[in-house]
Amino acid sequence: MDEKEIGRLKTRDTVNRCRNLLIHGATKEQTMMGMFIYGMVNSCMLVLMALGFSLTFGISGIANFAYGAIYVTGAYLCWHFVNSFGLWYPLSIVMSVLITGIVGVCVYRFVLYRVRGIPLSEIVVTFGLGTGLLELYRSLGLSGHSYKLPVFVDGSVEIFEVYIDFQRLIILCLGIILLLLLWIFTHHTKLGLAFRGIAQDEETALAFGIEPERTAMASFYIGSSLAALAAIAIVPLSLLSVEDGSNVLILVLAVGIVGGLESTLGIIVASLIFGFLQMIFSTYFSPLYSLVVTLVSIVLILAVKPSGLFGSSKELEERV
Protein backbone atom coordinates (compact mmCIF):
# COMPACT_ATOMS: atom_id res chain seq x y z
CA MET A 1 0.00 0.00 0.00
CA ASP A 2 1.53 3.33 -1.05
CA GLU A 3 1.44 6.57 0.93
CA LYS A 4 -1.45 8.04 -1.06
CA GLU A 5 -3.59 5.03 -0.32
CA ILE A 6 -2.66 5.28 3.34
CA GLY A 7 -3.67 8.92 3.38
CA ARG A 8 -7.00 8.22 1.76
CA LEU A 9 -8.01 5.52 4.22
CA LYS A 10 -11.56 6.21 5.32
CA THR A 11 -12.21 5.68 9.00
CA ARG A 12 -15.22 6.50 11.11
CA ASP A 13 -13.38 8.61 13.70
CA THR A 14 -10.77 11.31 13.31
CA VAL A 15 -8.80 9.85 16.22
CA ASN A 16 -8.25 6.60 14.27
CA ARG A 17 -6.60 8.25 11.26
CA CYS A 18 -3.11 8.44 12.80
CA ARG A 19 -3.36 4.88 14.08
CA ASN A 20 -3.84 3.80 10.47
CA LEU A 21 -0.69 5.69 9.47
CA LEU A 22 1.25 3.83 12.18
CA ILE A 23 -0.21 0.43 11.32
CA HIS A 24 0.50 0.77 7.61
CA GLY A 25 4.15 1.67 8.00
CA ALA A 26 4.24 5.45 7.67
CA THR A 27 7.49 7.12 8.72
CA LYS A 28 7.92 8.63 12.18
CA GLU A 29 7.79 12.13 10.68
CA GLN A 30 4.55 11.38 8.84
CA THR A 31 3.00 9.94 11.99
CA MET A 32 3.99 12.97 14.08
CA MET A 33 2.70 15.40 11.46
CA GLY A 34 -0.49 13.37 11.16
CA MET A 35 -0.95 13.52 14.93
CA PHE A 36 -0.55 17.31 14.86
CA ILE A 37 -2.93 17.89 11.95
CA TYR A 38 -5.61 15.45 13.09
CA GLY A 39 -5.12 16.55 16.71
CA MET A 40 -5.97 20.11 15.67
CA VAL A 41 -9.01 18.89 13.74
CA ASN A 42 -10.15 16.76 16.69
CA SER A 43 -9.72 19.76 19.03
CA CYS A 44 -11.76 21.99 16.71
CA MET A 45 -14.53 19.39 16.63
CA LEU A 46 -14.65 19.50 20.44
CA VAL A 47 -14.69 23.32 20.38
CA LEU A 48 -17.60 23.29 17.92
CA MET A 49 -19.53 20.83 20.07
CA ALA A 50 -18.93 22.72 23.33
CA LEU A 51 -19.35 26.36 22.26
CA GLY A 52 -23.14 26.39 22.39
CA PHE A 53 -23.30 24.63 25.76
CA SER A 54 -20.72 27.00 27.26
CA LEU A 55 -22.45 30.12 25.91
CA THR A 56 -25.84 29.07 27.28
CA PHE A 57 -24.42 28.19 30.69
CA GLY A 58 -22.38 31.38 30.91
CA ILE A 59 -25.42 33.58 30.28
CA SER A 60 -28.34 31.72 31.83
CA GLY A 61 -26.47 29.69 34.46
CA ILE A 62 -28.36 26.59 33.27
CA ALA A 63 -26.48 23.36 32.49
CA ASN A 64 -28.56 22.18 29.54
CA PHE A 65 -28.49 18.37 29.69
CA ALA A 66 -30.76 18.26 26.62
CA TYR A 67 -27.86 19.67 24.58
CA GLY A 68 -26.94 16.29 23.05
CA ALA A 69 -30.52 15.78 21.87
CA ILE A 70 -30.56 19.29 20.39
CA TYR A 71 -27.31 18.45 18.57
CA VAL A 72 -28.99 15.37 17.04
CA THR A 73 -32.11 17.42 16.24
CA GLY A 74 -30.09 19.81 14.08
CA ALA A 75 -28.59 17.02 11.98
CA TYR A 76 -31.87 15.07 11.87
CA LEU A 77 -33.76 18.12 10.56
CA CYS A 78 -31.12 18.71 7.90
CA TRP A 79 -31.30 15.06 6.82
CA HIS A 80 -35.09 15.33 6.42
CA PHE A 81 -34.89 18.59 4.47
CA VAL A 82 -32.42 17.02 2.05
CA ASN A 83 -33.85 13.49 1.73
CA SER A 84 -37.56 13.81 2.54
CA PHE A 85 -38.27 17.23 0.99
CA GLY A 86 -35.50 17.34 -1.60
CA LEU A 87 -34.33 20.83 -0.64
CA TRP A 88 -31.00 22.31 -1.73
CA TYR A 89 -28.31 21.31 0.79
CA PRO A 90 -27.14 24.87 1.71
CA LEU A 91 -30.76 25.94 2.20
CA SER A 92 -31.37 22.84 4.34
CA ILE A 93 -28.39 23.77 6.51
CA VAL A 94 -29.65 27.31 7.08
CA MET A 95 -33.19 26.18 7.85
CA SER A 96 -31.98 23.46 10.23
CA VAL A 97 -29.80 25.90 12.17
CA LEU A 98 -32.60 28.47 12.45
CA ILE A 99 -35.29 25.95 13.44
CA THR A 100 -33.04 24.25 16.00
CA GLY A 101 -32.49 27.67 17.54
CA ILE A 102 -36.26 28.04 17.86
CA VAL A 103 -36.40 24.60 19.51
CA GLY A 104 -33.88 25.89 22.07
CA VAL A 105 -36.04 28.95 22.74
CA CYS A 106 -39.10 26.72 23.25
CA VAL A 107 -37.13 24.54 25.68
CA TYR A 108 -36.30 27.62 27.75
CA ARG A 109 -39.68 29.37 27.54
CA PHE A 110 -41.99 26.41 28.07
CA VAL A 111 -39.84 24.06 30.17
CA LEU A 112 -37.06 25.89 31.99
CA TYR A 113 -38.64 29.28 32.63
CA ARG A 114 -40.46 28.15 35.78
CA VAL A 115 -37.59 26.15 37.29
CA ARG A 116 -34.73 28.54 36.53
CA GLY A 117 -32.63 29.09 39.65
CA ILE A 118 -33.36 25.61 41.03
CA PRO A 119 -30.27 23.63 39.90
CA LEU A 120 -31.60 20.14 40.65
CA SER A 121 -34.86 20.81 38.80
CA GLU A 122 -32.96 22.29 35.84
CA ILE A 123 -30.82 19.15 35.55
CA VAL A 124 -33.75 16.74 35.94
CA VAL A 125 -35.93 18.63 33.46
CA THR A 126 -33.28 19.03 30.76
CA PHE A 127 -32.00 15.46 31.19
CA GLY A 128 -35.54 14.08 30.97
CA LEU A 129 -36.33 16.22 27.94
CA GLY A 130 -33.13 15.19 26.16
CA THR A 131 -33.69 11.50 26.85
CA GLY A 132 -37.30 11.77 25.70
CA LEU A 133 -36.31 13.46 22.45
CA LEU A 134 -33.66 10.85 21.68
CA GLU A 135 -36.06 7.98 22.40
CA LEU A 136 -38.62 9.67 20.14
CA TYR A 137 -36.06 9.74 17.32
CA ARG A 138 -35.24 6.08 17.99
CA SER A 139 -38.92 5.15 17.73
CA LEU A 140 -39.08 7.04 14.42
CA GLY A 141 -36.36 4.75 13.08
CA LEU A 142 -33.24 6.94 13.42
CA SER A 143 -30.58 4.25 12.96
CA GLY A 144 -28.74 2.59 10.12
CA HIS A 145 -26.57 3.56 7.19
CA SER A 146 -29.24 5.63 5.43
CA TYR A 147 -28.90 8.47 7.95
CA LYS A 148 -25.82 10.16 6.58
CA LEU A 149 -25.36 13.79 5.58
CA PRO A 150 -23.28 14.68 2.49
CA VAL A 151 -19.90 16.34 2.95
CA PHE A 152 -19.67 20.05 2.09
CA VAL A 153 -16.83 19.47 -0.40
CA ASP A 154 -15.64 16.07 -1.56
CA GLY A 155 -11.96 15.22 -2.01
CA SER A 156 -8.71 15.52 -0.07
CA VAL A 157 -5.42 17.38 -0.14
CA GLU A 158 -1.84 16.56 0.89
CA ILE A 159 -0.34 18.69 3.67
CA PHE A 160 3.25 17.89 4.66
CA GLU A 161 2.93 14.34 3.26
CA VAL A 162 -0.30 13.72 5.16
CA TYR A 163 -3.59 13.45 3.31
CA ILE A 164 -6.62 15.10 4.85
CA ASP A 165 -10.11 15.44 3.41
CA PHE A 166 -11.70 18.81 2.75
CA GLN A 167 -14.52 18.22 5.25
CA ARG A 168 -12.05 18.09 8.14
CA LEU A 169 -10.29 21.20 6.88
CA ILE A 170 -13.66 22.96 6.75
CA ILE A 171 -14.30 21.91 10.36
CA LEU A 172 -10.91 23.34 11.33
CA CYS A 173 -11.65 26.65 9.60
CA LEU A 174 -15.23 26.76 10.90
CA GLY A 175 -14.06 26.38 14.50
CA ILE A 176 -11.58 29.27 14.16
CA ILE A 177 -14.10 31.51 12.35
CA LEU A 178 -16.83 30.87 14.93
CA LEU A 179 -14.47 31.74 17.77
CA LEU A 180 -13.57 35.04 16.06
CA LEU A 181 -17.23 35.85 15.33
CA LEU A 182 -18.19 35.03 18.91
CA TRP A 183 -15.50 37.39 20.21
CA ILE A 184 -16.68 40.19 17.90
CA PHE A 185 -20.29 39.51 18.89
CA THR A 186 -19.65 39.65 22.63
CA HIS A 187 -17.38 42.73 22.46
CA HIS A 188 -18.91 44.89 19.72
CA THR A 189 -22.68 44.30 19.60
CA LYS A 190 -25.42 45.49 21.94
CA LEU A 191 -26.77 41.98 22.55
CA GLY A 192 -23.28 40.59 23.06
CA LEU A 193 -22.48 43.28 25.64
CA ALA A 194 -25.78 42.47 27.36
CA PHE A 195 -24.65 38.82 27.45
CA ARG A 196 -21.42 39.84 29.15
CA GLY A 197 -23.25 42.07 31.59
CA ILE A 198 -25.60 39.28 32.65
CA ALA A 199 -22.72 36.81 32.89
CA GLN A 200 -20.71 39.12 35.15
CA ASP A 201 -23.46 40.35 37.49
CA GLU A 202 -27.14 39.76 36.76
CA GLU A 203 -28.48 42.19 39.39
CA THR A 204 -26.27 45.06 38.24
CA ALA A 205 -27.16 44.34 34.61
CA LEU A 206 -30.84 44.47 35.58
CA ALA A 207 -30.27 47.91 37.12
CA PHE A 208 -29.00 49.09 33.72
CA GLY A 209 -32.16 47.89 31.98
CA ILE A 210 -30.92 44.54 30.68
CA GLU A 211 -33.76 42.04 30.93
CA PRO A 212 -32.28 38.71 32.14
CA GLU A 213 -35.06 36.42 30.89
CA ARG A 214 -34.94 37.68 27.32
CA THR A 215 -31.15 37.57 27.38
CA ALA A 216 -31.21 33.98 28.66
CA MET A 217 -33.73 33.07 25.96
CA ALA A 218 -31.46 34.61 23.32
CA SER A 219 -28.54 32.58 24.68
CA PHE A 220 -30.59 29.40 24.25
CA TYR A 221 -31.37 30.37 20.65
CA ILE A 222 -27.72 31.01 19.78
CA GLY A 223 -26.46 28.01 21.78
CA SER A 224 -28.91 25.62 20.10
CA SER A 225 -28.10 27.05 16.67
CA LEU A 226 -24.39 26.49 17.33
CA ALA A 227 -25.15 22.88 18.35
CA ALA A 228 -27.00 22.32 15.06
CA LEU A 229 -24.17 23.89 13.03
CA ALA A 230 -21.62 21.67 14.80
CA ALA A 231 -23.72 18.57 14.11
CA ILE A 232 -24.18 19.39 10.42
CA ALA A 233 -20.42 19.92 10.03
CA ILE A 234 -19.33 16.81 11.97
CA VAL A 235 -21.98 14.18 11.14
CA PRO A 236 -20.88 13.84 7.45
CA LEU A 237 -17.68 12.20 8.77
CA SER A 238 -19.72 9.25 10.05
CA LEU A 239 -23.39 8.32 10.45
CA LEU A 240 -26.14 10.03 12.39
CA SER A 241 -27.42 7.95 15.29
CA VAL A 242 -29.37 8.38 18.52
CA GLU A 243 -26.24 7.48 20.49
CA ASP A 244 -24.55 10.64 19.20
CA GLY A 245 -26.72 12.59 21.65
CA SER A 246 -25.30 10.95 24.79
CA ASN A 247 -21.76 10.77 23.38
CA VAL A 248 -21.72 14.47 22.54
CA LEU A 249 -23.16 15.38 25.93
CA ILE A 250 -20.35 13.46 27.70
CA LEU A 251 -17.67 15.17 25.60
CA VAL A 252 -19.22 18.61 26.06
CA LEU A 253 -19.46 18.15 29.82
CA ALA A 254 -15.86 16.92 29.93
CA VAL A 255 -14.58 19.94 28.00
CA GLY A 256 -16.75 22.33 30.00
CA ILE A 257 -15.86 20.93 33.40
CA VAL A 258 -12.12 20.81 32.73
CA GLY A 259 -11.91 24.20 31.01
CA GLY A 260 -14.49 26.00 33.14
CA LEU A 261 -18.14 25.87 32.09
CA GLU A 262 -18.54 29.58 31.38
CA SER A 263 -15.09 30.31 29.97
CA THR A 264 -14.52 30.39 26.19
CA LEU A 265 -10.75 30.36 26.74
CA GLY A 266 -11.20 27.34 28.99
CA ILE A 267 -13.21 25.58 26.27
CA ILE A 268 -10.37 26.15 23.79
CA VAL A 269 -7.65 24.94 26.16
CA ALA A 270 -9.64 21.89 27.32
CA SER A 271 -10.48 20.98 23.70
CA LEU A 272 -6.78 21.11 22.80
CA ILE A 273 -5.92 18.94 25.81
CA PHE A 274 -8.56 16.31 25.05
CA GLY A 275 -8.07 16.53 21.29
CA PHE A 276 -4.37 15.69 21.47
CA LEU A 277 -4.63 13.25 24.39
CA GLN A 278 -7.23 11.22 22.50
CA MET A 279 -5.04 11.28 19.39
CA ILE A 280 -1.90 10.15 21.25
CA PHE A 281 -3.61 7.30 23.12
CA SER A 282 -5.53 6.15 20.04
CA THR A 283 -2.37 6.13 17.94
CA TYR A 284 0.01 4.35 20.31
CA PHE A 285 -2.39 2.27 22.43
CA SER A 286 -6.03 1.75 21.47
CA PRO A 287 -9.00 3.96 20.44
CA LEU A 288 -10.83 2.37 23.36
CA TYR A 289 -8.68 4.46 25.72
CA SER A 290 -10.10 7.74 24.39
CA LEU A 291 -13.10 7.76 26.71
CA VAL A 292 -11.01 6.49 29.65
CA VAL A 293 -8.52 9.34 29.15
CA THR A 294 -11.38 11.83 29.02
CA LEU A 295 -12.99 10.62 32.24
CA VAL A 296 -9.71 10.28 34.15
CA SER A 297 -8.76 13.83 33.13
CA ILE A 298 -12.05 15.11 34.55
CA VAL A 299 -11.38 13.42 37.89
CA LEU A 300 -7.80 14.71 38.11
CA ILE A 301 -8.69 18.30 37.16
CA LEU A 302 -11.64 18.42 39.56
CA ALA A 303 -9.47 17.05 42.37
CA VAL A 304 -7.01 19.95 41.88
CA LYS A 305 -9.33 22.77 40.74
CA PRO A 306 -13.05 22.04 41.20
CA SER A 307 -14.26 24.96 39.06
CA GLY A 308 -12.08 23.96 36.09
CA LEU A 309 -8.86 25.43 34.69
CA PHE A 310 -10.39 28.82 33.84
CA GLY A 311 -13.67 28.63 35.73
CA SER A 312 -14.71 31.17 38.32
CA SER A 313 -17.97 29.63 39.45
CA LYS A 314 -17.87 29.55 43.23
CA GLU A 315 -21.18 27.70 43.29
CA LEU A 316 -19.69 24.86 41.31
CA GLU A 317 -16.63 24.83 43.57
CA GLU A 318 -18.84 24.63 46.63
CA ARG A 319 -20.95 21.83 45.13
CA VAL A 320 -17.94 19.76 44.20
Side-chain angles (χ1 to χ4, degrees):
M1 181 176 291
D2 60 29
E3 293 176 2
K4 290 187 176 180
E5 288 175 321
I6 293 170
R8 290 186 177 120
L9 282 172
K10 296 291 184 183
T11 58
R12 178 180 171 81
D13 300 315
T14 297
V15 292
N16 287 331
R17 283 297 186 97
C18 288
R19 185 172 179 78
N20 281 347
L21 287 172
L22 196 65
I23 290 172
H24 293 284
T27 63
K28 182 180 178 182
E29 290 74 19
Q30 282 179 304
T31 304
M32 294 300 291
M33 184 54 67
M35 285 177 58
F36 175 75
I37 293 174
Y38 284 108
M40 288 300 296
V41 173
N42 198 33
S43 300
C44 269
M45 289 169 64
L46 293 173
V47 168
L48 282 177
M49 290 179 191
L51 263 184
F53 185 93
S54 174
L55 177 73
T56 303
F57 181 83
I59 306 304
S60 67
I62 297 174
N64 182 12
F65 278 71
Y67 189 80
I70 290 174
Y71 174 94
V72 173
T73 300
Y76 194 36
L77 281 173
C78 190
W79 184 89
H80 270 297
F81 286 138
V82 173
N83 294 281
S84 302
F85 301 106
L87 296 183
W88 188 39
Y89 190 30
L91 177 62
S92 302
I93 293 173
V94 173
M95 289 181 62
S96 303
V97 170
L98 295 177
I99 293 175
T100 308
I102 294 172
V103 171
V105 170
C106 292
V107 168
Y108 180 81
R109 183 63 186 85
F110 300 110
V111 180
L112 286 167
Y113 181 74
R114 292 181 178 279
V115 299
R116 187 184 176 201
I118 311 174
L120 181 59
S121 297
E122 292 170 356
I123 293 173
V124 170
V125 166
T126 53
F127 184 79
L129 180 65
T131 304
L133 268 178
L134 292 176
E135 290 305 315
L136 173 64
Y137 297 150
R138 192 193 304 278
S139 69
L140 293 174
L142 177 56
S143 67
H145 292 279
S146 59
Y147 290 94
K148 180 175 175 60
L149 290 176
V151 295
F152 294 171
V153 180
D154 200 9
S156 60
V157 64
E158 182 183 356
I159 301 176
F160 298 111
E161 299 184 346
V162 175
Y163 276 84
I164 181 169
D165 50 280
F166 288 127
Q167 187 67 23
R168 286 181 169 83
L169 287 178
I170 290 172
I171 289 172
L172 186 62
C173 296
L174 183 62
I176 296 171
I177 291 171
L178 278 182
L179 285 171
L180 287 174
L181 290 178
L182 189 61
W183 184 86
I184 293 171
F185 171 73
T186 54
H187 287 77
H188 297 284
T189 67
K190 185 176 180 181
L191 181 58
L193 292 172
F195 276 12
R196 293 180 64 197
I198 290 289
Q200 290 172 7
D201 192 327
E202 184 170 321
E203 292 183 359
T204 303
L206 186 61
F208 280 90
I210 300 174
E211 215 285 305
E213 297 299 339
R214 289 184 180 178
T215 309
M217 201 179 298
S219 75
F220 263 76
Y221 180 85
I222 296 175
S224 300
S225 298
L226 288 174
L229 187 59
I232 293 168
I234 295 170
V235 165
L237 298 177
S238 58
L239 299 172
L240 175 62
S241 69
V242 171
E243 286 69 27
D244 285 348
S246 52
N247 294 337
V248 166
L249 181 61
I250 290 173
L251 289 173
V252 165
L253 287 175
V255 170
I257 290 171
V258 169
L261 282 168
E262 72 280 25
S263 168
T264 303
L265 177 61
I267 294 297
I268 297 171
V269 173
S271 296
L272 287 170
I273 292 172
F274 283 128
F276 280 95
L277 277 179
Q278 288 178 349
M279 192 61 61
I280 292 169
F281 275 81
S282 297
T283 302
Y284 292 108
F285 300 100
S286 167
L288 298 175
Y289 286 115
S290 297
L291 183 59
V292 176
V293 169
T294 302
L295 297 177
V296 169
S297 300
I298 294 175
V299 174
L300 292 177
I301 294 293
L302 288 182
V304 177
K305 196 170 188 308
S307 60
L309 294 174
F310 295 89
S312 57
S313 173
K314 293 181 179 178
E315 292 182 3
L316 175 63
E317 200 151 346
E318 288 166 1
R319 285 202 298 273
V320 175

